[in-house]
Amino acid sequence: MSINNTSAIILNVTPYRETSCILKLFSPEYGLITGIAKGVKKLKSRREPLERGFHINLTVYLKNNRDINTVSNIHIIDFFPGIRNNLQKTAIRDITFELIITSIINYNPQKELYSILLKFLSQLEQLSEIDILYILLWRFFLKFADISGFGPDFSQCIYCGTPVKESSYLLINKGGISCRNCCKNDFRNSDFLIPERLLYVLASSILQYDNIPAFGSAELLRITRLAVSYCRYHLDIHREFKSLNFLENLFLSETNCTCLHIGF
Ligand SMILES: [Zn+2]
């Protein structure tokens, strides 16, 4: 067994017996880990119950060949109240969490992805314009694909090599885009279309908040589905994303959604 202090993002919390809970954690040193926090619910010193999305410090007692480790000394660094109190933001956050839970291998260091996730959460916390929140989500997926080795090339048409400056089709299985002239297969379908204004936003290295195009609800959902489909294909994830269905329900019932709850 080794005893390690680390920081982590809580990706999921499952109550366990009367006073404990099982945490699914994402940490820079160990990637995805599952830990049982014993007695954590009866601590009088803890004002905030542990929840999904918290950024914490903790001690992990790693045991070889164990699926569940013991964790203790949990201190909350940030509980991101701006995300926590906003259903739209929690829905967007949960899609990134589900991507990590379904694809990251346990106990592998993930320092780059961890810092991208932390930056994403702090931007999600601070910003409020709905179109910007979704662009943050899509850019997160793009960075995730890049560091996982299957980032799509948006610079030129995969067939004719022409620099792409207009709306194009994402060819999921080929990891690139096709101009309208070349795209003659099943992907010539509006589900796979990347609008010109979005290509520009995704390709720029720094996001300019004052030059963000507006998307309607249907378009926000369509492009989010496309981003998830792209990663699911390349990571060989067969199950549907529950967080995506949650988002769809959220859009369908925007005025009456307080009863919605999601569990991975
Ligand atoms: Zn072409």
Side-chain angles (χ1 to χ4, degrees):
M1 183 182 78
S2 65
I3 301 173
N4 309 273
N5 294 316
T6 185
S7 64
I9 307 286
I10 302 178
L11 302 183
N12 208 8
V13 180
T14 309
Y16 181 70
R17 296 190 176 155
E18 295 261 311
T19 60
S20 305
C21 53
I22 294 173
L23 306 174
K24 187 93 61 181
L25 301 164
F26 184 58
S27 75
E29 290 89 356
Y30 313 106
L32 203 58
I33 46 177
T34 304
I36 180 163
K38 290 176 182 164
V40 77
K41 285 200 274 183
K42 67 179 179 188
L43 289 178
K44 288 191 177 133
S45 58
R46 185 172 301 292
R47 286 182 299 164
E48 294 288 342
L50 294 175
E51 286 180 20
R52 183 187 301 168
F54 284 12
H55 182 204
I56 58 173
N57 273 329
L58 74 161
T59 303
V60 185
Y61 300 82
L62 281 174
K63 289 181 185 165
N64 291 337
N65 307 320
R66 280 280 180 93
D67 288 337
I68 299 184
N69 307 281
T70 300
V71 298
S72 68
N73 297 325
I74 296 171
H75 297 284
I76 297 169
I77 302 169
D78 195 344
F79 60 93
F80 297 109
I83 300 175
R84 195 178 171 215
N85 298 324
N86 182 312
L87 212 50
Q88 187 75 243
K89 287 186 180 186
T90 57
I92 290 170
R93 177 202 67 190
D94 287 353
I95 294 173
T96 65
F97 284 7
E98 193 165 6
L99 177 65
I100 291 169
I101 287 175
T102 50
S103 65
I104 296 297
I105 299 165
N106 293 6
Y107 308 118
N108 274 11
Q110 293 288 346
K111 291 186 178 169
E112 188 178 6
L113 183 58
Y114 185 79
S115 88
I116 290 170
L117 181 63
L118 261 188
K119 188 177 176 196
F120 167 77
L121 291 174
S122 78
Q123 288 174 316
L124 197 59
E125 169 76 13
Q126 290 162 21
L127 299 167
S128 54
E129 171 62 43
I130 188 88
D131 294 297
I132 294 180
L133 301 181
Y134 279 87
I135 285 167
L136 291 175
L137 174 66
W138 302 332
R139 284 172 67 97
F140 176 89
F141 267 71
L142 206 52
K143 285 178 189 159
F144 184 97
D146 271 341
I147 63 176
S148 305
F150 56 86
D153 179 7
F154 286 149
S155 65
Q156 59 182 28
C157 171
I158 206 163
Y159 294 118
C160 67
T162 309
V164 173
K165 294 197 170 87
E166 58 179 17
S167 301
S168 305
Y169 296 95
L170 178 65
L171 306 181
I172 290 179
N173 59 342
K174 294 191 182 299
I177 52 173
S178 166
C179 70
R180 284 170 178 264
N181 288 339
C182 295
C183 193
K184 295 186 170 63
N185 59 17
D186 291 346
F187 283 103
R188 196 177 174 87
N189 177 317
S190 56
D191 286 350
F192 303 105
L193 193 69
I194 302 192
E196 179 187 345
R197 59 207 164 119
L198 180 60
L199 273 176
Y200 174 75
V201 172
L202 292 179
S204 27
S205 53
I206 297 170
L207 187 58
Q208 305 285 345
Y209 295 133
D210 56 354
N211 191 23
I212 296 295
F215 299 91
S217 297
E219 195 68 343
L220 293 175
L221 192 58
R222 180 186 72 80
I223 297 166
T224 302
R225 281 200 174 282
L226 184 57
V228 171
S229 296
Y230 187 82
C231 286
R232 278 183 61 206
Y233 176 85
H234 289 281
L235 293 162
D236 209 21
I237 300 168
H238 296 281
R239 60 174 252 195
E240 293 281 334
F241 272 37
K242 290 180 183 173
S243 53
L244 204 49
N245 295 334
F246 177 82
L247 187 70
E248 191 170 322
N249 288 330
L250 189 57
F251 275 120
L252 287 171
S253 56
E254 275 174 327
T255 53
N256 183 26
C257 52
T258 50
C259 57
L260 292 171
H261 179 73
I262 178 177
F264 295 140

